[in-house]
Amino acid sequence: MSHSDQTHRSQAGYDLTPPTEAERVMLEAALDPEEKRVLLAHGTEAPFCGTLLGEKRQGTFCCRQCGLPLFRSATKFESGTGWPSFWEPVDPDHIVGVRDTSYGMVRVESRCGRCDSHQGHVFPDGPPPTGLRYCINSVALSFTPEGEALPDPLGRGDNDA
């Protein structure tokens, strides 16, 4: 079966097929130590320190590891928490929620729907219309201004789906 026969696409048109082992090694090699700590070891960056917290331009926030578009700037809001916050992902399949009971709390971890990297957490205290607050680490994201090509580190050609 060819790669295209196995492709799982989101409604937004993006290939959600997980990276192969070789692709994963390549993606992880491109991460700096802080990105590895957050994306791979489920860490959290310090509040109010992330480079994307004050990002106000129109564009798309993508997974820093695999390039999957996760959030649009139109869904970003100021939550006062110290991390970039969004009320809705680009596509429901682009973010996977996983129950997280670390640190004596029950939360829902947000992971990338393609590479399974840790992004942050989602909470039920966001603004309308969803009432959700995706609280995401800046280091887990890359930002692409509107009109520019989205990252495509896996070479899947769906960065403009």
Side-chain angles (χ1 to χ4, degrees):
M1 206 184 284
S2 72
H3 174 78
S4 61
D5 293 336
Q6 299 175 34
T7 300
H8 169 114
R9 291 207 174 268
S10 67
Q11 287 185 0
Y14 292 88
D15 183 352
L16 298 179
T17 307
T20 64
E21 190 56 36
E23 288 172 330
R24 193 168 292 284
V25 167
M26 182 240 348
L27 292 172
E28 290 176 8
L31 301 175
D32 70 30
E34 176 68 355
E35 291 165 342
K36 286 180 181 177
R37 186 182 72 78
V38 172
L39 290 160
L40 307 178
H42 305 265
T44 300
E45 67 191 0
F48 301 102
C49 294
T51 58
L52 297 177
L53 181 60
E55 180 59 66
K56 304 261 191 252
R57 294 176 290 171
Q58 292 300 305
T60 304
F61 295 85
C62 300
C63 174
R64 168 59 187 91
Q65 180 164 276
C66 77
L68 183 68
L70 300 180
F71 301 97
R72 291 190 177 91
S73 57
T75 66
K76 187 174 187 274
F77 69 99
E78 181 50 58
S79 66
T81 61
W83 292 277
S85 297
F86 306 87
W87 52 265
E88 182 179 54
V90 165
D91 183 292
D93 290 337
H94 290 203
I95 291 284
V96 174
V98 178
R99 189 169 192 256
D100 176 1
T101 58
S102 63
Y103 305 107
M105 297 180 272
V106 177
R107 304 179 288 174
V108 177
E109 177 187 9
S110 295
R111 294 187 191 173
C112 174
R114 177 160 57 195
C115 71
D116 201 40
S117 63
H118 174 75
Q119 298 291 316
H121 290 85
V122 61
F123 301 95
D125 61 2
T130 65
L132 298 175
R133 173 174 54 93
Y134 290 87
C135 189
I136 307 296
N137 292 285
S138 284
V139 74
L141 299 169
S142 65
F143 177 75
T144 303
E146 194 172 290
E148 293 185 19
L150 298 176
D152 189 18
L154 292 170
R156 296 195 176 165
D158 65 357
N159 61 355
D160 59 357

